[in-house]
Amino acid sequence: MQKQSTTQARLLTTGLAFGESPRWHDGRLWLCNWGTGEIVAVDTDGNREIVLTVPAVLPYSIDWLPDGRLLVVSGREGLLLRQEADGSLVTHADLRPLSKGPWNEIVVDGRGNIYVNGGGPAPAPGEHFGPGTIVLITPDGAVRQVAENIAFANGMAVTRDNKTLIIAESHANRLTAFDIAADGTLSNRRVWADLDGYPDGVCLDAEGAVWYADVPNKHCVRVREGGEALQTVTVDRGCFACMLGGADRKTLFIAAAEWRGFEHMVSDARTGQVLSVEAPAPGVGWP
């Protein structure tokens, strides 16, 4: 059994609001700067560029179609947007008929199937979120729900063989897996790992482990299927998401910020950071 190790991270950039949905793309880390409408790209030296401003404040998330066009989930508006070659944003899919609730994360698998989570029924009185769903948008444009009753749907990842989707159920303290059929449908729902924490963003590595970010516990943890913790990276603020990138995909990038509750997510505070640490295995799969 591998002994769990604790690792310190290096500060890469500061002054963000809330970094979310990080993606390694074209040699830089792209992320959504929640509360500002900005999509930001950061290089490995910490240089930062606003690459796009979108008509959303939060939540919004990003990934790319196989042909390289950027997709943006405009969460509260219920729209999946696509950036065209001229830079304009057009509607790729309208998710409003499926739910009036806000949508959250996106992942595009290696076959061009798009999964978006969130939505779902209205929350109970006093709750911020109701049970979440996962919807599938196939390459032909069809939209359908493929999972329900997700306990606060957060980060998602698809294995490199396109056969398994793993999702963070933040309010159930677990990672949940589904088998992916040839048509993109999800089945065989099962617990991938029960966790001592609250998983937010996730990513996969070549040894079959998952890294997950945890806001209240202020760390990112690498776990294997079944829940054994292999490595922990602790920081001084909430960890919202993580992504493996860099030239060899062996750098773990962490999006972190001070957490003061949902009602304070949109403010003038700029406590968001991106940190990095070397990881034992390279990133694989999608995103």
Side-chain angles (χ1 to χ4, degrees):
M1 181 184 297
Q2 181 176 349
K3 182 176 171 56
Q4 181 182 348
S5 60
T6 300
T7 311
Q8 292 300 118
R10 175 177 75 95
L11 185 60
L12 193 63
T13 192
T14 63
L16 297 169
F18 282 91
E20 267 284 11
S21 192
R23 304 286 187 259
W24 183 256
H25 179 74
D26 280 351
R28 293 190 293 177
L29 185 78
W30 294 50
L31 70 162
C32 298
N33 191 19
W34 281 14
T36 69
E38 298 168 354
I39 296 171
V40 174
V42 185
D43 68 18
T44 53
D45 294 321
N47 300 306
R48 190 164 82 220
E49 178 192 1
I50 299 170
V51 290
L52 182 66
T53 301
V54 298
V57 178
L58 64 85
Y60 58 105
S61 54
I62 56 172
D63 210 348
W64 283 263
L65 288 167
D67 64 12
R69 286 180 293 175
L70 176 69
L71 295 173
V72 181
V73 175
S74 184
R76 293 194 181 280
E77 293 69 35
L79 298 175
L80 177 60
L81 307 175
R82 183 184 71 242
Q83 188 179 35
E84 298 294 73
D86 63 1
S88 62
L89 289 170
V90 300
T91 298
H92 187 82
D94 187 345
L95 306 179
R96 289 172 295 184
L98 291 161
S99 173
K100 298 294 189 289
W103 298 88
N104 190 20
E105 261 286 18
I106 181 173
V107 62
V108 183
D109 73 9
R111 298 177 292 194
N113 287 318
I114 303 163
Y115 296 93
V116 178
N117 70 35
E127 297 290 323
H128 287 285
F129 299 94
T133 64
I134 305 175
V135 299
L136 165 68
I137 302 102
T138 53
D140 64 4
V143 182
R144 68 179 188 275
Q145 182 177 304
V146 289
E148 61 183 356
N149 293 322
I150 308 292
F152 194 170
N154 241 317
M156 285 188 297
V158 174
T159 54
R160 54 182 160 184
D161 61 5
N162 292 304
K163 291 183 177 178
T164 306
L165 182 144
I166 298 172
I167 183 169
E169 291 194 85
S170 299
H171 288 175
N173 312 103
R174 68 185 173 219
L175 301 175
T176 296
F178 295 87
D179 292 341
I180 303 175
D183 66 354
T185 300
L186 304 182
S187 65
N188 188 27
R189 180 175 182 165
R190 58 199 181 275
V191 175
W192 195 88
D194 282 314
L195 306 172
D196 181 20
Y198 303 87
D200 197 324
V202 300
C203 59
L204 302 169
D205 74 22
E207 294 179 358
V210 169
W211 282 97
Y212 72 88
D214 185 325
V215 175
N217 288 306
K218 301 180 181 180
H219 62 203
C220 289
V221 183
R222 182 176 182 246
V223 294
R224 68 167 88 249
E225 187 172 4
E228 180 190 356
L230 303 173
Q231 185 174 347
T232 299
V233 182
T234 300
V235 303
D236 66 352
R237 61 201 67 201
C239 294
F240 285 80
C242 53
M243 181 55 50
L244 287 159
D248 55 4
R249 294 289 306 275
K250 287 183 71 174
T251 301
L252 182 75
F253 295 97
I254 300 168
E258 292 178 7
W259 175 245
R260 297 181 304 280
F262 289 106
E263 62 274 17
H264 299 296
M265 285 195 74
V266 179
S267 74
D268 292 331
R270 294 293 179 262
T271 66
Q273 300 178 344
V274 176
L275 304 102
S276 69
V277 64
E278 289 307 301
V284 295
W286 290 269

